[in-house]
Amino acid sequence: MRAYRLLDWLTDPVLTELDTPEAGPGQVLVRIGGAGVCHSDLHVIREFPPGQMPWSVPFTLGHENAGWVEALGSGVRGLEPGQPVAVYGPWGCGECDYCLRGVETYCERPDRAPVPRGGGGLGLDGGMADFLLVPHARLVVPLPDGLDPVTAAPLTDAGLTPYHAVRRSWPKLTPSATAVVIGIGGLGHLAVQIVKATTAARVIAVDTRHEALELARTLGADTVVTPGDNAAELVRDATRGRGADVVIDCVGTDATLAFAAATSRVLGDLTIVGLGGGTLPVSFFGLPFEMSVQTTYWGSRPELVEVLDLAARGRLHTEVTRFDLADVAEAYRRLEEGTLTGRAVVTP
């Protein structure tokens, strides 16, 4: 089979040939229908020196995956060959308290996981290939009727991550509240829709690109703002001087975090989703009083089921640009250039 693999740290991945894996006891072999191209992969490719992560190279990239069950290992029940499925990306030990709750992102026994602090495409072979071997059936989620693997693949991260961020702030997203989404890319364009689909709050979308803001309007944003000298004032004006109850920063640079702090309301939430490498100075008078700042990593398996259900009912639209597996390098190049709208999905 074909596979797009990182052969060594700080090098460009290559498309190569591998033997198709076989499903062992408890495992599931998935024929890939779609694999999302995520900005996190660029950090792995460009920035991780040897030893930074507890992973070994080589491995196949691709941690946003969906397809069809190709083969089942012995002992697997509840799945059938040919069944459309999504793959829950973080692979924990399956035994600790958090894993038993379905929050394998925060596995407390990474030494017992298939790969520490990772999963398919993050330390182990992922879905930028014709087939993906999933180490346990609990990590495979059947797709609801009406949802195809190409649409579902990016939802496993680009949908799940902002869904988790929005969900944890539901109590503050009342009908009189305002949410600000910074960065209307692969995650941000879904974050706008998630706020609109699950709450009655207003949404302000922030991005430097005109086409991204137009997409945000199409997807339900009430107001769009281009960063600039008066951008924070525009948000304040749109919220009657109070500021945003919830800010979801899908970029995470120094500039966006400073903007988030300048536009947040007292008792508000700021959730940092983007891996832009920025920092947020904290001091007594530096942030609105009792403003909560949190980072988040992916989401839970039960939340993935909810995201897939929302999409199957037409409440979430994934803006997808398709690439053949032979053109996967081009997909990453365009992602790195910032010329993609929505999410790129590789379709073997």
Side-chain angles (χ1 to χ4, degrees):
M1 71 173 188
R2 300 168 300 167
Y4 189 63
R5 292 171 66 76
L6 184 67
L7 301 182
D8 203 355
W9 298 111
L10 301 177
T11 64
D12 288 331
V14 297
L15 188 63
T16 186
E17 293 281 337
L18 291 178
D19 291 335
T20 301
E22 297 183 0
Q27 298 178 337
V28 180
L29 183 66
V30 175
R31 178 163 54 93
I32 292 296
V37 178
C38 182
H39 204 278
S40 299
D41 293 337
L42 293 178
H43 294 287
V44 174
I45 296 167
R46 302 288 185 228
E47 300 173 12
F48 288 7
Q52 177 163 328
M53 299 300 293
W55 306 336
S56 298
V57 289
F59 59 86
T60 303
L61 293 174
H63 58 269
E64 294 184 342
N65 304 303
W68 301 270
V69 174
E70 180 72 10
L72 300 171
S74 61
V76 175
R77 295 178 175 82
L79 297 170
E80 298 178 357
Q83 183 176 8
V85 294
V87 179
Y88 180 59
W91 298 349
C93 71
E95 300 172 354
C96 70
D97 182 50
Y98 286 149
C99 282
L100 291 174
R101 298 185 207 176
V103 192
E104 301 204 24
T105 45
Y106 305 137
C107 173
E108 295 183 302
R109 290 303 307 266
D111 56 307
R112 295 183 180 179
V115 59
R117 307 298 182 195
L122 297 170
L124 282 183
D125 286 344
M128 292 292 175
D130 294 304
F131 296 95
L132 168 63
L133 182 63
V134 183
H136 198 285
R138 73 174 186 277
L139 303 167
V140 175
V141 179
L143 293 185
D145 292 341
L147 193 61
D148 68 273
V150 173
T151 303
L155 295 173
T156 62
D157 181 7
L160 176 59
T161 299
Y163 182 79
H164 177 73
V166 171
R167 196 182 198 281
R168 67 194 312 277
S169 292
W170 275 353
K172 296 183 181 181
L173 291 171
T174 64
S176 61
T178 299
V180 169
V181 178
I182 303 174
I184 312 302
L187 278 71
H189 89 285
L190 286 162
V192 169
Q193 297 175 74
I194 289 163
V195 175
K196 301 299 287 189
T198 64
T199 80
R202 291 182 293 275
V203 176
I204 299 175
V206 181
D207 202 288
T208 58
R209 300 165 298 161
H210 173 75
E211 64 273 17
L213 295 179
E214 287 304 306
L215 175 62
R217 285 189 190 275
T218 301
L219 297 176
D222 299 279
T223 305
V224 299
V225 172
T226 302
D229 292 339
N230 66 334
E233 182 180 342
L234 292 175
V235 172
R236 290 282 173 183
D237 289 345
T239 57
R240 299 183 296 281
R242 298 184 308 185
D245 299 85
V246 174
V247 179
I248 308 294
D249 186 354
C250 297
V251 181
T253 63
D254 285 345
T256 60
L257 291 172
F259 178 80
T263 56
S264 291
R265 185 182 183 184
V266 169
L267 292 170
D269 280 353
L270 164 59
T271 299
I272 306 168
V273 172
L275 299 177
T279 58
L280 180 66
V282 177
S283 63
F284 190 86
F285 294 110
L287 297 175
F289 291 122
E290 295 194 42
M291 171 184 165
S292 296
V293 181
Q294 50 266 324
T295 56
T296 185
Y297 180 53
W298 238 320
S300 70
R301 187 189 185 281
E303 288 171 333
L304 176 57
V305 173
E306 295 173 2
V307 169
L308 296 174
D309 184 70
L310 279 174
R313 289 190 285 136
R315 304 301 300 275
L316 297 181
H317 165 73
T318 309
E319 189 76 9
V320 167
T321 303
R322 297 192 187 202
F323 291 83
D324 187 87
L325 184 55
D327 301 320
V328 61
E330 173 67 10
Y332 279 104
R333 185 189 66 79
R334 288 187 56 187
L335 176 66
E336 195 164 21
E337 290 177 346
T339 58
L340 287 171
T341 300
R343 202 61 154 183
V345 176
V346 172
T347 56

